[in-house]
């Protein structure tokens, strides 16, 4: 647990909600402020146009992503593929001519899935026995050799669980399916559900996959045990199977046999990969951007977060290729262990130490390279994390106040000025159609530094399909549209360059969630 509040759902969300997706519900566009041209637009128009043209003509970034996906592939913390990816990433940065390329050593947890299965059985008329489409949740314990066989108890929400007595839950396999209310809400059942059910005596937990699309694809992702509760095995089932189990439990007793070999092994050495364009006037001041190099142990980690590390890398590489020399340093970082621990983000914070004041801005891309709409920045006036569903109330994904956009009256003068600058920078992005600025922005890897007041930014996208294949076997290269990838790269490159070169500095705000 880090310095962020140990309140379990909040901490779990910090580690698992990707940037760019935090405030978006399916199909809901962030409340964006339009671009407004101003002095920064005029000053950087020529450089920005060069960057945009180069980025939209560039195929190297996508080619590197294709190599990562097809030749290195999935790269969960503790795996040999992760080490291969780290070595390859450092080579890529060196070959691109970045300076100070290094791998910061970070110890990461090693969770091993092993073999796993789940079978549903009913008795009586129309009795069935069939396998379920499942994926064990990351960091779950196993079931033991014999597996666990128990009756399924369908529980729609945490509020419904709270209303049950321990006698009603004891010895059962709890199935959570609140319906789909957006990732911020649904992922809480995955992260906190196992311990909350165990607290009432459940022997195992199944959760509906955290997705809005039913394609018989189970979605994994990390759980987070409450150390004061018994650790019970937990798995995600496909949306279809969750709904079938729900129907069956309304007819009569339903049994599931769950078998999982999942276990932890000794922590492994891994690392954060980083490289720089050193600033010409203020080399000690840093604009940092990046994503996470680890993925889950399924699929290729293409959108999550191969697209993020490759788009941020290419954004920096292009600035170097064009011979642009920003006054401050631009650093690209491939953080490690975002998915199941956040060790990379914490190690980066430790590396920065007392020089935190020199981190000028932090940009994280971890929401997939879908069509970008603009940049999320700051999050002032709107909670960065969705609110937990109130007991008994249908989950909405976020507090109503977050939907109305930015309340400028709550901002300091420096914060207002920062939004003006961001709108002027956004005006440079008009040619590629990514010219909005919205409250929000951030990510779990940069969380430890943005909590200490470093201004947080992240791309905002249409957010239509990211959670369709997130954490599944289907997160493969074909899901990343090359033109959308280029637009993300182009946008990140202009934003990073201007932030690193402009006279002013954006306002940041320390997180109130710190202990
Ligand atoms: Zn991610």
């Amino acid at each position: 647990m880090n310095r962020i509040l140990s309140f379990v759902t909040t901490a779990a969300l910090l580690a698992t909600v990707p940037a760019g997706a935090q405030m978006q519900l399916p199909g809901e566009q962030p409340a964006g402020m339009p671009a407004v041209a101003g002095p920064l637009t005029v000053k950087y128009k020529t450089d920005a146009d060069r960057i945009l043209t180069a980025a939209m003509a560039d195929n190297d970034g996508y080619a590197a992503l294709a190599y990562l996906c097809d030749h290195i592939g999935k790269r969960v913390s503790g795996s040999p593929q992760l080490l291969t990816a780290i070595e390859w990433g450092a080579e890529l940065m060196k070959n691109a001519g970045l300076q100070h390329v290094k791998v910061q050593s970070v110890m990461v947890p090693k969770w091993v899935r092993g073999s796993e299965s789940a079978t549903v059985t009913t008795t009586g008329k129309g009795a069935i026995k069939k396998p379920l489409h499942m994926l064990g949740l990351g960091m779950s314990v196993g079931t033991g050799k014999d597996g666990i066989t128990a009756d399924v108890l369908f529980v729609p929400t945490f509020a419904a669980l709270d209303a049950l007595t321990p006698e009603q839950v004891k010895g059962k396999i709890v199935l959570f399916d609140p319906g789909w209310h957006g990732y911020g809400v649904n992922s809480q059942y995955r992260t906190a559900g196992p311990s909350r059910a165990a607290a009432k005596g459940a022997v195992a937990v199944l959760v509906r996959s955290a997705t809005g699309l039913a394609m018989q694809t189970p979605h994994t992702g990390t759980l987070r045990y409450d150390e004061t509760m018994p650790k019970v095995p937990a798995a995600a089932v496909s949306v279809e199977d969750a709904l079938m189990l729900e129907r069956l439990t309304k007819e009569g007793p339903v049994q599931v046999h769950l078998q999982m070999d999942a276990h932890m092994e000794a922590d492994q050495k891994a690392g954060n990969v980083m490289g720089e364009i050193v600033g010409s006037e203020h080399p000690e001041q840093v604009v940092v951007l990046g994503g996470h190099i680890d993925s889950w142990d399924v699929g290729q980690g293409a959108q999550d977060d191969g697209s993020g590390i490759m788009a941020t890398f290419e954004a920096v590489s292009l600035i170097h290729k064009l011979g642009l020399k920003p006054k401050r340093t631009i650093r690209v970082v491939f953080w490690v262990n975002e998915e199941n621990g956040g060790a990379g983000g914490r190690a980066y914070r430790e590396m920065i130490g007392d020089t935190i004041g020199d981190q000028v801005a932090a940009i994280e891309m971890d929401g997939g390279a879908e069509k970008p709409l603009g940049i999320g920045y700051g999050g002032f006036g709107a909670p960065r994390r969705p609110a937990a569903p109130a007991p008994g109330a249908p989950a909405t994904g976020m507090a109503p106040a977050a939907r109305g956009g930015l309340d400028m009256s709550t901002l300091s003068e420096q914060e207002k000025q920062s939004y003006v600058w961001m709108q002027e920078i956004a005006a440079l992005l008009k040619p590629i159609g990514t010219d909005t600025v919205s409250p929000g922005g951030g990510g779990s890897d940069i969380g430890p530094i943005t909590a200490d007041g470093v201004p947080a930014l992240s791309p905002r996208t249409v957010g239509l399909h990211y959670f369709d294949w997130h954490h599944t076997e289907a997160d493969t290269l074909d899901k990343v549209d090359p033109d959308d990838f280029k637009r993300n790269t182009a946008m990140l490159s202009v934003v990073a360059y201007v932030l690193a070169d402009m006279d002013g500095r954006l306002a940041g705000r320390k997180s109130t969630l710190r202990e």
Side-chain angles (χ1 to χ4, degrees), residues 292 304-305 338-339 366 466:
H292 64 88
D304 186 15
D305 186 24
E338 188 275 344
E339 295 291 5
D366 188 17
Y466 184 67

Side-chain angles (χ1 to χ4, degrees), residues 65-424:
L65 176 63
Y67 184 89
L68 175 70
C69 290
D70 290 340
H71 294 271
I72 299 174
K74 58 197 177 188
R75 43 198 181 276
V76 71
S77 286
S79 67
Q81 294 96 324
L82 176 64
L83 298 182
T84 305
I86 288 168
E87 217 172 283
W88 170 82
E91 274 307 302
L92 193 69
M93 289 186 192
K94 278 181 200 156
N95 292 340
L98 299 192
Q99 294 165 271
H100 300 163
V101 174
K102 71 168 186 177
V103 177
Q104 177 196 9
S105 185
V106 180
M107 294 301 285
V108 297
K110 181 175 185 181
W111 174 79
V112 178
R113 177 179 302 280
S115 77
E116 56 183 17
S117 63
T119 307
V120 58
T121 313
T122 63
T123 51
K125 187 166 178 279
I128 59 164
K129 180 175 184 176
K130 57 181 167 186
L132 296 171
H133 299 82
M134 61 81 78
L135 268 179
L137 297 183
M139 309 304 271
S140 177
V141 296
T143 57
K145 260 206 177 70
D146 298 337
I148 291 172
T149 305
D151 283 346
V152 175
L153 177 66
F154 168 64
V155 178
T157 61
F158 287 140
L161 180 72
D162 291 343
L164 295 168
T165 63
E167 289 67 39
Q168 291 172 293
V169 181
K170 192 164 189 276
K172 302 277 172 47
I173 295 178
V174 163
L175 166 70
F176 286 115
D177 183 358
W180 174 239
H181 301 285
Y183 188 72
V185 169
N186 280 72
S187 61
Q188 294 179 54
Y189 288 89
R190 188 192 73 214
T191 51
S195 286
R196 289 188 66 160
K200 290 219 161 174
V203 291
V205 167
L206 299 175
V207 294
R208 169 209 163 105
S209 290
T211 180
L213 181 71
M215 290 284 283
Q216 278 297 25
T217 320
H219 295 230
T220 190
T222 200
L223 58 69
R224 197 169 284 243
Y225 286 127
D226 178 338
E227 294 295 330
T228 66
M229 297 296 158
K231 291 181 180 174
V232 298
V237 291
S238 67
V239 174
E240 289 90 339
D241 283 354
L243 294 170
M244 178 186 70
L245 288 171
E246 181 183 338
R247 291 193 299 274
L248 292 172
T249 56
K250 285 171 184 164
E251 294 173 5
V254 178
Q255 273 201 339
V256 161
H257 175 74
L258 182 67
Q259 190 280 321
M260 292 169 60
D261 289 343
H263 62 276
M264 301 298 301
E265 294 183 6
D267 288 358
Q268 302 280 313
K269 203 172 151 184
N272 293 330
V273 188
M274 58 193 85
E276 297 176 349
I277 296 172
V278 176
S280 59
E281 280 185 30
H282 308 290
E284 77 290 355
Q285 295 183 19
V286 177
V287 170
V288 63
L289 70 164
H292 64 88
I293 193 165
D294 63 308
S295 75
W296 278 108
D297 61 334
V298 291
Q300 295 182 328
Q303 284 286 34
D304 186 15
D305 186 24
S307 66
I309 58 173
M310 289 299 105
T312 50
F313 160 73
E314 197 60 16
V316 177
S317 181
L318 280 166
I319 294 168
H320 177 69
K321 277 185 207 171
L322 290 169
L324 295 168
K325 304 233 181 288
K327 293 192 183 84
R328 302 185 183 91
T329 293
I330 299 177
R331 178 182 296 153
V332 59
V333 182
F334 301 167
W335 283 282
V336 76
N337 185 227
E338 188 275 344
E339 295 291 5
N340 58 337
R346 288 195 301 275
Y348 184 78
R349 175 66 189 91
E350 280 165 29
M351 184 189 95
I352 297 306
D354 294 343
T355 66
I356 185 83
D358 285 332
Q359 301 280 300
V360 172
I363 310 170
E364 180 156 357
M365 177 166 163
D366 188 17
E370 289 190 84
K371 185 173 184 290
L373 300 169
I375 281 279
Y377 159 63
F380 315 126
R384 274 185 46 217
R385 284 166 281 283
T396 58
M398 61 170 130
R403 295 171 182 243
L406 187 64
D407 180 359
M408 292 298 270
S409 70
T410 64
L411 302 189
S412 70
E413 286 309 308
Q414 200 199 354
E415 288 166 352
K416 284 180 197 164
Q417 175 61 63
S418 295
Y419 272 106
V420 170
W421 285 332
M422 286 309 301
Q423 287 176 290
E424 291 177 13

